[in-house]
Amino acid sequence: MNADADALDLVFQALADPTRRAIVSRLRAGSATVGELAAPFAMSRPAISQHLKVLERAGFIERSIDGHWRRCTLRSEPLDEASAWVQRHRGEWNERFDLLDERL
């Protein structure tokens, strides 16, 4: 496997979890502290921290320190890369669905 495939795997793995997708959706509105991101979820701070680590490893978020607050900011590049991958394969998938439709 190459580095691009590994990075794409991290992106899709990060998006596979509904909590992480909710965090990404929340960050679309702007940066937030870890506490603000944790507030809507009935889980411990260490659990939220694990989700943030997965998102950070996939390149979705950047963490910074603002005084004594840790802020997270969304990075869109991983979504752009995933979208480009889907677009490259969409034509092939549509062809296969058309062939399946013909056979059925």
Side-chain angles (χ1 to χ4, degrees), residues 34-55:
V34 173
E36 290 168 340
L37 293 173
F41 303 105
M43 63 179 66
S44 67
R45 287 279 175 109
I48 290 293
S49 182
Q50 285 299 101
H51 284 296
L52 294 175
K53 285 179 187 176
V54 170
L55 290 170

Side-chain angles (χ1 to χ4, degrees), residues 3 25 35 41 52 61-62 65 83 93 96 103:
S25 292
F41 303 105
L52 294 175
I61 63 171
E62 286 182 349
I65 298 176
S83 179
W93 296 335
R96 290 182 182 188
R103 289 188 184 239

Side-chain angles (χ1 to χ4, degrees), residues 4-53:
D4 289 339
D6 290 342
L8 193 58
D9 287 347
L10 290 174
V11 168
F12 284 117
Q13 288 169 0
L15 293 174
D17 183 87
T19 300
R20 291 192 289 267
R21 288 193 307 271
I23 291 170
V24 168
S25 292
R26 163 52 187 90
L27 288 172
R28 285 180 43 221
S31 67
T33 65
V34 173
E36 290 168 340
L37 293 173
F41 303 105
M43 63 179 66
S44 67
R45 287 279 175 109
I48 290 293
S49 182
Q50 285 299 101
H51 284 296
L52 294 175
K53 285 179 187 176

